[in-house]
Amino acid sequence: MLRPEASTRRRAAAVPRRPWLDQLLVVGALAVLLLGYDTVVEGRDWWVTTTLVAGLVALVCAVLGSLAPRFAVPVGLLVLVVVLGWVFVPETFAGPLPTTATFQGLGEALSRAQVIVMEEAAPAAAARPLVLLLAGAFGLLVLVLDLVLRLRVGVLLTGAVLLVVYAAPALVSGETPSLWVFAGAAACWLALLRTRTAATSAGWASLVPALGLGGSALLVGVLLPPVLPDVTAVAKPWGEPPPQVFGRGINPMLQLGQNLRRNSTTVSARYTTTLQDPPYLKVATLRDFRGRTWRPATASDGDPFESRIGIEPEVETSQETTTIRIADLRSSMLPVPYPVLDVDGLRGAWSLRRTGLTISSDSSTTRDQQYTVTSLERLPTAEQMRALVTSPSAVPADYTALPDDVPPVVASTAREVTADATNDYDRALALQDYFRQNFVYSETAPVAEDYDGNGVGVLGTFLEEKAGYCVHFSSAMAVMARELGMPSRIAVGYAPGQAAGVDDDGNTEYEVTSDDLHAWPEIYFDGVGWVGFEPTPGVGSRTGFEEPEGTPESTEQAAPQDQPSQRPSDAASEEGSVTTEASAADSEAPTAPRTALTVAVVLLLAALLPGLLRSLLRRRRLAASDPEPWWREVEASAVDVGLVVPRTGTPRGLVEVVGPRADPDDLRRVLTAVERSRYARPGTDVADERDAARRVVERVRAAGSRGERLRALLLPRSLLRRR
């Protein structure tokens, strides 16, 4: 005989599950906790989408948890994948069915979500990949909790999981979710705890300590946060920090977006200069473009240095100096003005690249460096520039090469924008002004609309959306220039920065920060060399040389030389732009409507599925040549309309149940056939009474009330009946 305490433990372990109630409370808790993620993701569309997906998965677990518990999680996982595919990558479906492209599309979207998680500062725009990540994560969470709730201590483990979900936003954004979020989730958990403990034999005796435990946890959750240390100190922008700026061996173009979207701003360098305008500081030159991304130029020993080669004698030049003091920057690439003539004061081993005149090292870094750069200032007039040509024959063919898959809109837009220009200089100015006057600066819109990057695949979308940051503007203008036959490339480094004070000698000191990380296009003019242009609105100054007296000025003036250049984050209404935040919000693609439609379709199919299965089963039974399936169908039809049919009853017992609703002659004929099939000697002929069986089934199904017939059609009880 079991000891009393052992018996109690066994009864407690045998608490029956209530899948419907369990899933309702779990989804309720998760939906409330999701409200606390508004400090991580902007808007509410993602909340609707995630809640609907989690609710649908919970519905599948609830239904199968009642019918076939072992299939609940596998089928729920399959439904989750199909729904996510239909919402986020519907173009990959073959009719209503997913394909291998569906799984590939979801994988690619999740990879893009990982980039957003690593690069974006919270709260991030509700980009579709990010919404996919949230919806998938909470859908999987429902499946995990379904498994957890099957354990003896499942409720307690569920509470721990919900607590982690509650704390996650604080660790990301540094802001603790509202107390009401905690209280709502805690209420759902307490209700779940109540349903489990109330079903035990101990009843209220075990319920009291359980509710005491839950109430204590709720009280601690309410009172403890105000006295805990601030979590802001440990919060990170979506996990690990980005890699070092312009790290060794990494294409610098690929790091710009990540570093521009960092939460914190750091001072990279300070400098003074004798140049007329504060210079752009270049660290790398990107020349090779095969479609996916711009890559650094690969120089050979035969390449000439670019400093003085090919400058016309009439063009005014002068040697100027810029003294740079590195602050918070550790890189193997040295920021210098272009074109470099000489560098003095560097520590370590550094090499000057012939192509682009950039300086890098295989063993040294910029940390704590202070150096003076002698550079060449070129001051051609606008009239001189118009007399020059961008001769492709004067430079390697790589400067004009383009992949075959450039969207046609790029070339057509370039020709349209420059239609009124009669020389290469004015064509370059027209492209520059087109971007500065018609586009807006946004670091988040490309991520939200999924066209981030600098490859050929995003150019068409960028020209349509008219929002992006320096990566998009520089790549688009460089490609357009090549479409027009002008050699082009991209420079990567720092915009001029802002005036930060005066040094001991009275010189203006400029400061460049991580916010000034920048990319800009350069176009080659035979007779002057490579000239940088600035198509990014709100950054630096518009490139333009001195016009002859009496020439109408451009519609966009360069920034005064004694004024600091405007940072992208400060640009609001200038040049016809709007704020970055508004652009990003307008560019978010809503997922809630399609999710709601998908869930509605799935629910409709789920509602019709039992009746469809029942109809197919009825057809199969009544088409059989053996009387036994006929009789099972008569029994099932009686169960569907609510008649009480004993599980172990005999055929004559069933006749007594369905007799008042069926034709006596048809019922007798079917009964006779069934009894002969069961009890007669082998070889006895059995009459084919399928037509009679069909009439009996039709009379039984039609004799019920309207409510009974509707329920028999949509929710046939016989599917749940176990023989």
Side-chain angles (χ1 to χ4, degrees):
M1 180 178 294
L2 292 172
R3 295 196 300 270
E5 59 271 23
S7 177
T8 300
R9 285 198 300 269
R10 173 168 294 184
R11 286 195 298 268
V15 175
R17 288 196 62 202
R18 301 178 181 178
W20 287 94
L21 185 57
D22 288 352
Q23 294 299 333
L24 177 63
L25 293 174
V26 165
V27 171
L30 293 178
V32 173
L33 290 174
L34 267 172
L35 295 174
Y37 283 68
D38 58 353
T39 61
V40 176
V41 187
E42 295 177 343
R44 276 288 182 265
D45 175 85
W46 60 270
W47 182 90
V48 176
T49 297
T50 304
T51 302
L52 287 174
V53 171
L56 183 59
V57 175
L59 178 64
V60 173
C61 290
V63 173
L64 292 180
S66 302
L67 302 178
R70 69 177 63 183
F71 296 110
V73 172
V75 175
L77 181 60
L78 177 61
V79 170
L80 174 62
V81 173
V82 172
V83 170
L84 291 179
W86 182 249
V87 172
F88 293 96
V89 286
E91 66 279 0
T92 63
F93 273 61
L97 300 177
T99 63
T100 55
T102 302
F103 298 94
Q104 294 174 354
L106 290 175
E108 293 173 359
L110 290 175
S111 297
R112 294 194 297 271
Q114 183 181 8
V115 174
I116 297 174
V117 167
M118 295 298 297
E119 294 184 356
E120 285 292 302
R128 290 175 67 87
L130 186 56
V131 180
L132 167 63
L133 178 63
L134 283 173
F138 275 78
L140 288 175
L141 196 58
V142 170
L143 297 176
V144 170
L145 292 179
D146 183 78
L147 293 174
V148 167
L149 286 172
R150 301 180 189 183
L151 305 175
R152 282 186 60 184
V153 292
V155 179
L156 297 180
L157 292 178
T158 298
V161 172
L162 295 179
L163 187 60
V164 171
V165 176
Y166 171 76
L171 297 177
V172 174
S173 65
E175 298 182 29
T176 304
S178 168
L179 175 62
W180 294 109
V181 172
F182 178 86
C188 293
W189 179 73
L190 288 176
L192 185 63
L193 184 65
R194 164 73 175 83
T195 61
R196 290 306 183 88
T197 54
T200 64
S201 58
W204 288 98
S206 61
L207 176 62
V208 171
L211 289 180
L213 175 63
S216 300
L218 179 60
L219 184 62
V220 170
V222 172
L223 299 180
L224 196 56
V227 300
L228 286 177
D230 188 4
V231 298
T232 306
V234 298
K236 294 181 179 180
W238 296 99
E240 295 300 322
Q244 59 176 324
V245 180
F246 309 131
R248 190 190 316 277
I250 301 176
N251 184 350
M253 192 69 156
L254 301 178
Q255 301 178 51
L256 274 182
Q258 181 173 352
N259 285 284
L260 282 170
R261 289 188 289 267
R262 289 190 302 180
N263 260 354
S264 58
T265 300
T266 58
V267 177
S268 300
R270 297 180 177 87
Y271 68 90
T272 58
T273 185
T274 62
L275 291 162
Q276 287 190 10
D277 298 327
Y280 286 70
L281 302 179
K282 186 197 290 192
V283 300
T285 302
L286 310 180
R287 179 191 67 188
D288 301 335
F289 185 59
R290 298 293 181 265
R292 187 174 183 85
T293 185
W294 289 82
R295 298 184 180 277
T298 303
S300 62
D301 294 338
D303 291 341
F305 281 100
E306 297 178 359
S307 55
R308 287 185 176 273
I309 300 300
I311 299 180
E312 293 287 339
E314 296 81 7
V315 174
E316 180 183 351
T317 61
S318 63
Q319 294 187 18
E320 307 294 339
T321 60
T322 303
T323 300
I324 302 173
R325 179 163 49 90
I326 299 296
D328 189 8
L329 173 64
R330 186 172 184 175
S331 171
S332 60
M333 302 179 184
L334 195 71
V336 292
Y338 179 86
V340 174
L341 297 178
D342 188 27
V343 181
D344 184 44
L346 277 177
R347 299 190 312 274
W350 296 85
S351 59
L352 176 65
R353 295 180 180 270
R354 298 169 181 266
T355 301
L357 296 179
T358 55
I359 300 175
S360 60
S361 174
D362 294 329
S363 58
S364 303
T365 71
T366 58
R367 186 175 183 179
D368 298 328
Q369 295 275 7
Q370 181 168 337
Y371 51 96
T372 299
V373 181
T374 302
S375 61
L376 185 69
E377 182 162 31
R378 298 159 297 167
L379 298 173
T381 65
E383 187 175 4
Q384 290 172 332
M385 290 295 296
R386 291 188 175 96
L388 303 177
V389 294
T390 58
S391 176
S393 60
V395 294
D398 289 333
Y399 287 113
T400 55
L402 285 172
D404 296 332
D405 54 347
V406 176
V409 67
V410 178
S412 62
T413 303
R415 289 191 294 268
E416 179 182 352
V417 169
T418 61
D420 296 332
T422 58
N423 57 80
D424 290 338
Y425 173 66
D426 284 337
R427 292 187 187 97
L429 292 183
L431 292 176
Q432 176 181 252
D433 293 344
Y434 167 68
F435 288 111
R436 291 183 70 88
Q437 296 173 4
N438 298 281
F439 286 63
V440 295
Y441 184 96
S442 173
E443 295 168 7
T444 55
V447 178
E449 281 298 304
D450 196 22
Y451 63 93
D452 199 12
N454 62 91
V456 69
V458 306
L459 291 179
T461 307
F462 168 65
L463 293 177
E464 178 182 352
E465 296 292 334
K466 290 183 169 53
Y469 54 97
C470 59
V471 167
H472 306 90
F473 289 101
S474 59
S475 179
M477 182 170 173
V479 172
M480 283 184 170
R482 292 190 179 187
E483 289 282 6
L484 297 174
M486 296 188 290
S488 65
R489 66 189 187 187
I490 292 179
V492 179
Y494 289 91
Q498 292 185 329
V502 179
D503 66 4
D504 295 338
D505 297 327
N507 300 315
T508 301
E509 186 175 49
Y510 295 89
E511 180 179 272
V512 292
T513 71
S514 54
D515 291 338
D516 296 309
L517 291 168
H518 194 46
W520 61 95
E522 293 180 330
I523 296 178
Y524 182 80
F525 289 85
D526 194 8
V528 171
W530 291 96
V531 178
F533 288 84
E534 185 50 271
T536 305
V539 178
S541 303
R542 170 188 180 274
T543 296
F545 296 100
E546 182 181 356
E547 295 282 356
E549 292 185 7
T551 302
E553 296 183 353
S554 170
T555 56
E556 177 181 324
Q557 297 297 323
Q561 297 178 11
D562 58 345
Q563 294 295 325
S565 61
Q566 187 180 32
R567 294 175 186 252
S569 57
D570 298 331
S573 58
E574 185 172 332
E575 306 175 36
S577 65
V578 295
T579 61
T580 299
E581 291 77 5
S583 302
D586 292 340
S587 64
E588 292 173 17
T591 56
R594 186 173 183 87
T595 308
L597 177 62
T598 302
V599 171
V601 171
V602 172
L603 291 179
L604 178 61
L605 293 176
L608 298 178
L609 184 61
L612 177 62
L613 293 177
R614 184 68 183 85
S615 177
L616 294 176
L617 185 59
R618 181 183 306 111
R619 290 174 179 271
R620 191 185 70 177
R621 286 172 175 170
L622 294 178
S625 58
D626 183 43
E628 199 64 39
W630 311 340
W631 195 250
R632 288 202 301 271
E633 179 54 38
V634 172
E635 180 184 29
S637 298
V639 172
D640 288 342
V641 295
L643 298 180
V644 179
V645 179
R647 293 180 183 273
T648 57
T650 63
R652 292 189 176 272
L654 180 60
V655 168
E656 296 179 1
V657 175
V658 301
R661 299 195 177 196
D663 180 85
D665 184 56
D666 287 338
L667 191 57
R668 178 185 55 77
R669 293 166 59 186
V670 177
L671 176 62
T672 300
V674 170
E675 289 183 335
R676 284 190 177 184
S677 174
R678 288 186 179 183
Y679 308 122
R681 293 178 180 179
T684 304
D685 292 336
V686 178
D688 186 353
E689 301 292 354
R690 278 178 286 188
D691 292 339
R694 290 191 184 94
R695 290 192 293 270
V696 170
V697 169
E698 292 173 359
R699 292 288 296 272
V700 170
R701 296 178 62 232
S705 65
R706 180 179 299 178
E708 289 175 341
R709 294 196 303 272
L710 181 61
R711 175 161 182 171
L713 178 64
L714 299 178
L715 296 173
R717 296 181 177 91
S718 60
L719 290 179
L720 303 177
R721 183 179 174 89
R722 297 178 182 176
R723 298 185 62 82

